[in-house]
Amino acid sequence: MPIRTVVWNEFVHERENDAVRSIYPDGIHATIAEALGADPEIAASTATLQEAEHGLPQARLDETDVLVWWGHKAHGEVSDAVVERVQNRVHQGMGLIVLHSGHFSKIFRRITGAPCSLRWREAGERERIWTVALGHPIARGIGPMIELPNEEMYGEPFVVPEPAETVFISWFEGGEVFRSGLTFGSGAGRIFYFRPGHETYPTYHHPQIRQVLINAVRWAYNPAPAWVDVAAAPNVPVERAPEPIVRKGPSLHKGGEEGYR
Ligand code: ZN
């Protein structure tokens, strides 16, 4: 069965700005889904902010293995109920790939529990994205670096929790550096943040960037989702301990060991 992937986009810039529309006529989401379609093991579809429940009703999320997120201008218009739903699915094992200005999305800030702030400048600078995690599956086939002739600058400090892995680090023409490819874990979910993708540059048409996106979807796919209710903290009674035990001392709980949460 292919990896069921939904590419979500707020889809605002492309409808409001001619320059952005000329690069992404059907939206960034359509371009990314097309890129992912080059891998026969990925089945990519799209969803946008404007659709009912932003295109992410529970039934669809339940059948999604990996969610890709692009947002910038309309983070505040994303419903908290949908964000909570996405977060719960990540905890259960759905992969999440957050792109570029998605660093300030509700879902990324919530799942990292951090400000996710950074420095930025829009000057069409050259960016070199260096591979620093040798042998990492997300960097497969990428080689030492990706060079983008024009991109928005994102600079450190990027205020996120210490990542599980740093896959890429960017250098910018103006001198700043940025941790451009970071992995995190939350519950059974695998999360990847990937920096490039400012809407006024053709970044998602770049062959190496498209390869990273494919690699990231394959990496984020967790074929062994959580087998427990990740939202619950059930008590394990004495008689159900893996080894036989007797209680030493009283339980502070009314009714003994039952129901302590
Ligand atoms: Zn941007």
Side-chain angles (χ1 to χ4, degrees):
M1 192 150 95
I3 302 169
R4 301 164 300 180
T5 305
V6 173
V7 182
W8 188 93
N9 179 17
E10 65 177 26
F11 196 29
V12 175
H13 293 296
E14 302 93 321
R15 294 184 301 127
E16 293 180 350
N17 184 292
D18 289 341
V20 179
R21 187 164 47 240
S22 71
I23 300 168
Y24 300 110
D26 300 313
I28 283 173
H29 52 297
T31 299
I32 292 174
E34 183 222 329
L36 297 176
D39 187 329
E41 290 183 35
I42 297 174
S45 60
T46 63
T48 60
L49 177 69
Q50 296 77 24
E51 294 169 43
E53 299 182 68
H54 311 328
L56 301 173
Q58 187 67 54
R60 187 172 189 197
L61 282 174
D62 287 344
E63 296 184 343
T64 300
D65 298 313
V66 178
L67 178 64
V68 180
W69 194 275
W70 197 100
H72 177 224
K73 207 176 173 184
H75 294 319
E77 293 172 37
V78 177
S79 118
D80 291 336
V82 169
V83 174
E84 179 157 1
R85 194 183 289 165
V86 168
Q87 184 179 27
N88 288 340
R89 276 291 294 138
V90 171
H91 289 158
Q92 289 164 6
M94 181 180 75
L96 177 67
I97 297 168
V98 176
L99 299 173
H100 187 60
S101 39
H103 72 93
F104 259 170
S105 62
K106 284 185 180 179
I107 183 60
F108 192 60
R109 295 177 80 173
R110 182 168 171 156
I111 217 154
T112 58
C116 304
S117 53
L118 46 79
R119 305 291 172 270
W120 62 279
R121 174 175 59 239
E122 208 182 330
E125 290 164 64
R126 183 178 311 139
E127 175 178 9
R128 292 198 184 111
I129 304 167
W130 293 92
T131 303
V132 293
L134 276 181
H136 197 285
I138 295 178
R140 187 177 170 194
I142 299 305
M145 64 113 171
I146 302 168
E147 180 160 326
L148 301 174
N150 304 102
E151 253 294 352
E152 181 182 17
M153 185 281 292
Y154 278 9
E156 296 282 347
F158 184 22
V159 187
V160 290
E162 187 64 21
E165 300 157 306
T166 301
V167 183
F168 301 111
I169 290 178
S170 283
W171 165 93
F172 293 88
E173 201 173 341
E176 287 90 347
V177 296
F178 189 78
R179 291 168 294 162
S180 268
L182 303 177
T183 71
F184 303 90
S186 190
R190 301 173 186 177
I191 300 153
F192 181 59
Y193 173 80
F194 190 44
R195 194 217 77 83
H198 186 66
E199 65 275 4
T200 57
Y201 308 114
T203 298
Y204 297 121
H205 293 287
H206 191 287
Q208 285 172 292
I209 297 294
R210 291 162 83 95
Q211 186 62 54
V212 170
L213 295 174
I214 288 172
N215 293 348
V217 166
R218 296 178 73 113
W219 170 85
Y221 169 55
N222 182 356
W227 65 94
V228 293
D229 176 359
V230 293
N235 176 259
V236 182
V238 165
E239 61 272 17
R240 288 179 58 197
E243 299 292 339
I245 52 168
V246 290
R247 176 185 306 288
K248 303 173 188 70
S251 167
L252 295 177
H253 259 293
K254 200 173 176 223
E257 68 270 18
E258 296 302 326
Y260 196 60
R261 295 260 191 275

